[in-house]
C-alpha cells in the first residue's frame, strides 16, 4: 500500500484497537463499577478522533489521489473504496453530533444493563427513544438513495446489498415454509428427551470443557483469550489478538457449550484473516458472513452426531458420571430439540429465525414511526404469541433480552438470519469439496478450516457478501438450502 | 477552562486513557501471548497521535493565546503552563522518532520479561543499549539548560527541580548517616525474629486479606479494582477508575501485604485528585510526591504497632491459626526487621535507599558514557557488595529485577528515594495537626486521609513539588526528618 495510505490505515487501526480494548475491559468486568460515565466520555472522544481523521481534508485528498491513479493491488483498491464509502456516509455528520452519539451508545449499554437486571423496560425506554432519534438523525446526514428508506440505510450499514424488499421476501419464505413445521413440533414435545441437559454441572468443569472445545475447533489460544461476560461476544484487535467470552450457568451445560462453539466460529474468521488485511478496514468480516461462520459451527457442525463422536467420551469424563446413563444418540437428539421459546440466544435452530423476524418487524415499524417506544413491549408480546405461541413473564426475558439496541445497532438483527441461510448454502458447497462428516468423525477439523480459510476467512470484508458467496459456491444467494436443511433435519428428528 | 483548551485537554485525556487500558490489559494477562508485537505497534501509533496533537500549530497558537490573555483560574493557568512546557520539551522531536521510541519501550517490556524469566541479562542487553541511545537522542531534541547534563534533563522529567548536584548531596548524606547503621544491624541479625513470615499462607486467603486491607486504608472499590501482575503497580484513567495490582507468594505473606499498602497509598492519591484536575495534565502526582504517599502508608503507617492494633486479630483469623503463637509485638518487630538484601521491592525501610543509590550511580554512568551495557551486571554486583555486603546469584535477582529500564524510565529511580524523604517530612507536619497514632489505634484513618487530601492529593501535579512541600510543611525540602526517623526507629528496634 502506498505510504500515506498505510499511515492512515495504521492510525485508524490504532483508534479501533483502543476502543476494542476499552470495551473489552468494561464488558469483562476489569473496570470499576463507577468508572462508566467517565470512560464513556473518553470513548466518545476517541470515536470523534477517528471520525475527524476519516473525514478531514487531507484524507479526502489522499483518497481522491488514490482513486485518480488506482493501484494494481486488489487490497489497496478495496481499502480505498471502503474508506471512500465510509467518508461519503459520514462526512456530513457534525463531529460533535457523532461524538454525542457514541457517548449515548456507551451510556445506553449501562442503562440497559440496569434495566435488564431489574427486568424493567421503563428504565430503558427513554434512552432507547433517544437512541432511535439519534440514529435516524445520523442516518439523515447520509446521501439519500432512490427508493431506499431510512431503515434500508440502517440495514445497508451491516449487510450491504440487502434491502427491506429482499428481506421481506426472505422472511416471507421462511414464514410460509417453516411455521407449519414449528407448529407440528410444538405438538410433539415428548418425542425428544432433554431433561439431562439441566443436570447440575459445576462451572469450573464447564470452563475446562469449553476451553478444550475452543482449542479442538482450532481457536489458537496463543493468539486469543477466553473470558466471561453477561452476553457472550467475540472481538479482536488484529489476527493475533482475538477474544471470545462465554457465560456459565450450572444448570444449563449446553448453553455455554454452544455459545463457545458459536463464538469460536467468529474467532476462527478473525484469526484466519490474512496478514495483509488485518489491522485494515477490510479486517473481520461482514455481519452476515461472520454469522454464517458462527452458526455453521454452532449448529450444522456442533450439533451433528459426527462432531460429537470423538468428543462425547471426553464430555462424559469431564462431568464425572453425570451423563453415564445418556447415550451419545440421546445426547445429540437432546441438543437438537426444538421448542418455541422466549430467548433468542437460547433458542433452537428451527425457531431461531422467528426471533429475528420479530426484531426486524419491530425495527421497521420503529423507523417508519408506526410504533412508539412505550408500545414496544406489548407489540413484542403479541408477535411472540402469534409466531411462536409463547408469552413472556417480564421484560427481562422479553424485549430487554438483547444488548444490541442499547448500542443503537438497529438493522443488525436481520444479518443473523441471513447468516444462517448463508451458512447452509456454504456448507452445501463445502461438502462437495471436503468430506465434512468424515473430517468430523475423525476428530481432525483441519480440512474444514482450510476450506473456509481459502474461500472466506482470509478475505475479511474485502469482497462484498454477494460476490464472496458467488465465488465460493458458484451461485447467487439462495435461502432454499437453509429451508431444505431445516425441513429435512427436523422432519427426521420428530418423525413427522 | 476556555472551550478550546478543554477540548484539547479532553482529547489528550482520551489518548492517555486508551494507553493506560491497553497497558493494563497486557500487564494483567488479559491479552494473548502473541499479541504483543502487533499491539506495541498500535500503542506506538497512539503515542504518536498524542504527540502530534500536543505539538501541532493549532495547539501552539491556542497556548500562546492563553498565555497572552491568562485566565484568573489557577487550574487553567497550570494546565497551560504544563502543556507549554511539554511542548517545549518535545516539539523538536520528529514524530516518527517519537513513535519508534514508544514502540521500543513497549517491545522492551516483553524482552525484559523473557530475560527475567530466564535470568539472563544478555537477552535484554541489546535492547537496553538501544533504549539508552534512543532516550539520549530524544532528550537531545530538548532545549539545553545551562550547566545541566543529559541525565539532569532525564531527572527533571520525573521530578522537577532536583538535579544531580542536589541528589549527590542527598545521597551522600544518607550514605554518611546510614551506612554505619546498616553495618551495625547486619551484625545483630538474631535480635529480631522473622521466621514466621515465611509460613505458608494460602493465596486465596491472602487475596481476601489484601482486599480487606485496601478497603480499610480507604481505597474505594467502586472506583477502583485490584488485580494481579508480575510487578505490582498502580494506574488510573481518572479519579473514578484507579487500579492497583499485587503479586502473591504462598511463603511470603508480608510481601503482598506491603505491596498492597504501598499501591493503595498511590491509589488514594489518584482517587482523591479533585474533579477539576482529573482527566487533565495535572492529574496524578509528581513521582516523588506520589512515592511519598505510597511509602508513608507502607512504612511509617503500615509497619507501625498502632496500625496493626485493630488489624492483627483479623489477620490471625484470616490465616486460621497460622500465627496463634506470634504476639502482635513480635509480628510488628518482624515486619520491621532490616537486613541487607538483593531485591529492592522486598527490601526493608532502612536499606531501601541504597538500592536506589546504586541505580542512580549506574544511570549517571550510563548517561555519561562511563560504562557499557555489557559491564553493568559486574558493576551492579560490586556496588551491592560495597554498600550492602550482599552478592547476587543471577541477573534475575540482580540487574533484571526491576521493570523500569525496559520502558526507558531512566532518571525515575531517584524519585523513590526522594519520596521516602518527603514522606518523613510530611508525616512530621501532619502529626502536628492530626494525632496520627490515635487515629491508627482507633481503626479510623479518615483524619489522616482528610489531611492528605487537603494538603496533597487534591492538587495532583498542579503545584511543583518544592512549593507543595513548603505549603504543606512550612519548610523547604529537608531530608533530615527521614534520617532522624530511620535512626531513631532502628536504634530502638535493634537496641543499638
Amino acid at each position: 500500500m502506498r505510504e500515506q495510505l498505510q499511515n492512515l490505515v495504521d492510525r485508524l487501526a490504532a483508534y479501533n484497537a483502543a476502543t476494542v480494548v476499552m470495551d473489552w475491559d468494561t464488558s469483562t468486568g476489569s473496570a470499576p463499577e463507577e468508572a462508566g460515565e467517565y470512560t464513556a466520555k473518553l470513548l466518545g472522544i476517541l470515536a470523534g478522533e477517528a471520525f475527524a481523521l476519516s473525514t478531514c481534508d487531507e484524507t479526502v485528498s489522499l483518497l481522491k489521489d488514490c482513486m485518480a491513479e488506482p493501484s494494481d493491488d486488489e487490497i489497496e483498491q478495496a481499502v480505498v473504496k471502503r474508506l471512500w464509502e465510509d467518508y461519503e456516509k459520514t462526512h456530513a455528520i457534525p463531529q460533535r453530533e457523532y461524538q454525542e452519539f457514541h457517548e449515548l451508545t456507551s451510556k445506553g449499554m449501562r442503562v440497559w444493563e440496569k434495566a435488564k437486571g431489574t427486568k424493567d423496560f421503563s428504565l430503558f425506554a427513554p434512552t432507547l427513544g433517544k437512541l432511535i432519534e439519534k440514529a435516524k438523525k445520523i442516518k439523515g446526514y447520509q446521501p439519500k438513495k432512490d427508493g431506499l428508506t431510512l431503515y434500508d440505510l440502517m440495514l445497508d450499514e451491516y449487510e450491504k446489498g440487502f434491502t427491506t424488499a429482499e428481506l421481506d421476501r426472505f422472511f416471507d419464505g421462511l414464514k410460509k415454509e417453516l411455521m407449519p413445521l414449528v407448529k407440528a413440533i410444538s405438538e410433539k414435545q415428548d418425542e425428544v428427551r432433554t431433561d439431562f441437559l439441566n443436570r447440575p454441572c459445576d462451572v469450573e468443569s464447564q470452563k475446562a470443557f469449553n476451553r478444550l472445545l475452543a482449542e479442538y475447533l482450532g481457536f489458537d489460544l496463543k493468539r486469543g483469550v477466553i473470558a466471561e461476560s453477561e452476553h457472550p461476544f467475540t472481538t479482536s484487535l488484529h489476527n493475533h489478538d482475538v477474544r471470545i467470552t462465554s457465560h456459565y450457568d450450572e444448570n444449563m451445560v449446553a448453553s455455554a457449550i454452544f455459545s463457545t462453539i458459536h463464538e469460536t466460529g467468529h474467532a476462527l474468521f478473525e484469526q484466519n484473516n490474512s496478514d495483509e488485511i488485518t489491522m485494515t478496514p477490510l479486517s473481520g468480516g461482514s455481519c452476515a458472513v461472520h454469522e454464517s461462520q458462527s452458526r455453521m459451527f454452532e449448529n450444522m457442525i456442533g450439533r451433528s452426531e459426527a462432531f460429537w463422536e470423538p468428543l462425547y467420551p471426553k464430555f462424559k469424563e469431564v462431568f464425572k458420571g453425570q451423563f453415564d446413563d445418556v447415550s451419545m444418540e440421546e445426547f445429540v437428539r437432546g441438543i437438537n430439540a426444538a421448542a418455541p421459546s422466549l430467548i433468542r440466544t437460547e433458542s433452537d435452530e428451527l425457531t431461531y429465525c422467528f426471533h429475528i423476524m420479530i426484531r426486524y418487524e419491530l425495527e421497521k415499524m420503529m423507523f417508519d414511526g408506526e410504533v412508539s417506544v412505550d408500545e414496544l413491549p406489548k407489540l413484542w408480546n403479541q408477535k411472540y404469541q402469534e409466531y411462536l405461541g409463547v408469552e413472556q413473564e417480564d421484560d427481562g426475558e422479553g424485549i430487554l433480552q438483547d444488548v444490541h439496541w442499547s448500542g443503537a445497532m438497529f438493522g443488525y438483527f436481520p444479518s443473523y438470519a441471513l447468516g444462517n441461510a448463508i451458512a447452509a448454502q456454504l456448507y452445501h458447497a463445502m461438502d462437495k469439496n471436503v468430506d465434512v462428516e468424515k473430517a468430523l468423525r475423525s476428530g481432525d477439523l483441519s480440512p474444514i478450516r482450510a476450506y473456509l480459510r481459502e474461500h472466506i476467512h482470509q478475505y475479511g470484508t474485502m469482497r462484498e457478501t454477494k460476490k464472496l458467496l458467488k465465488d465460493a459456491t458458484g451461485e447467487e444467494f439462495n435461502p432454499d438450502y437453509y429451508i431444505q436443511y431445516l425441513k429435512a433435519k427436523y422432519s427426521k428428528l420428530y418423525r413427522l
Side-chain angles (χ1 to χ4, degrees), chain A residues 359 362 376-384 392 398 401:
Chain A
R359 287 272 185 190
L362 292 180
L376 285 173
K378 197 178 151 201
L379 205 55
W380 175 280
N381 218 8
Q382 280 171 5
K383 286 187 183 287
Y384 266 82
Q392 67 175 58
Q401 67 182 255

Side-chain angles (χ1 to χ4, degrees), chain A residues 12 47-48 50-56 59-60 63 82-99 101-102 137-143 157:
Chain A
L12 290 171
F51 173 71
L53 177 59
S54 307
T55 55
C56 69
T59 295
V60 171
L63 293 177
R82 179 68 41 78
L83 291 175
W84 185 254
E85 283 167 2
D86 288 349
Y87 165 75
E88 281 200 311
K89 264 195 270 182
T90 55
H91 78 280
I93 307 169
Q95 184 169 351
R96 176 163 296 274
E97 190 104 53
Y98 188 79
Q99 201 164 307
F101 178 61
H102 275 266
K137 197 166 174 198
I138 294 279
K139 264 301 154 220
Y141 289 107
Q142 196 171 314
E157 182 77 17

Side-chain angles (χ1 to χ4, degrees), chain A residues 153-315:
Chain A
L153 295 179
M154 294 300 296
L155 290 170
D156 193 69
E157 182 77 17
Y158 298 106
E159 203 51 52
K160 266 185 88 162
F162 291 86
T163 61
T164 43
E166 193 156 10
L167 285 170
D168 283 345
R169 270 198 308 279
F170 170 56
F171 283 120
D172 284 346
L174 298 185
K175 233 186 275 189
K176 180 169 155 275
E177 300 279 347
L178 300 180
M179 270 183 76
L181 198 55
V182 171
K183 199 167 180 310
I185 280 167
S186 308
E187 287 157 10
K188 290 193 74 176
Q189 285 302 299
D190 295 339
E191 189 68 35
V192 175
R193 193 186 150 202
T194 60
D195 59 293
F196 51 82
L197 293 174
N198 299 112
R199 290 180 185 169
C201 294
D202 80 283
V203 167
E204 286 312 309
S205 303
Q206 287 197 48
K207 284 187 192 171
F209 185 72
N210 278 277
R211 194 177 165 86
L212 175 153
L213 203 49
E215 281 198 279
Y216 179 80
L217 289 163
F219 186 44
D220 181 351
L221 282 165
K222 284 191 182 155
R223 300 189 289 133
V225 293
I226 309 176
E228 284 175 67
S229 66
E230 176 65 26
H231 183 88
F233 67 96
T234 302
T235 190
S236 85
L237 279 78
H238 41 67
N239 63 6
H240 282 66
D241 189 341
V242 179
R243 307 176 182 201
I244 66 174
T245 66
S246 199
H247 183 81
Y248 302 95
D249 182 326
E250 206 189 31
N251 298 309
M252 290 168 73
V253 66
S255 168
I257 286 176
F258 291 101
S259 282
T260 297
I261 303 180
H262 180 98
E263 301 307 333
T264 301
H266 285 306
L268 290 174
F269 200 160
E270 299 282 336
Q271 286 194 329
N272 289 297
N273 273 188
S274 74
D275 283 342
E276 288 72 33
I277 64 144
T278 197
M279 296 204 280
T280 78
L282 309 177
S283 67
S286 88
C287 297
V289 182
H290 233 311
E291 196 66 10
S292 78
Q293 299 306 290
S294 55
R295 296 293 282 180
M296 182 194 288
F297 275 97
E298 178 187 350
N299 292 326
M300 310 187 74
I301 290 175
R303 295 184 202 268
S304 70
E305 196 180 287
F307 177 73
W308 283 97
E309 193 174 292
L311 276 175
Y312 195 61
K314 187 75 200 167
F315 173 78

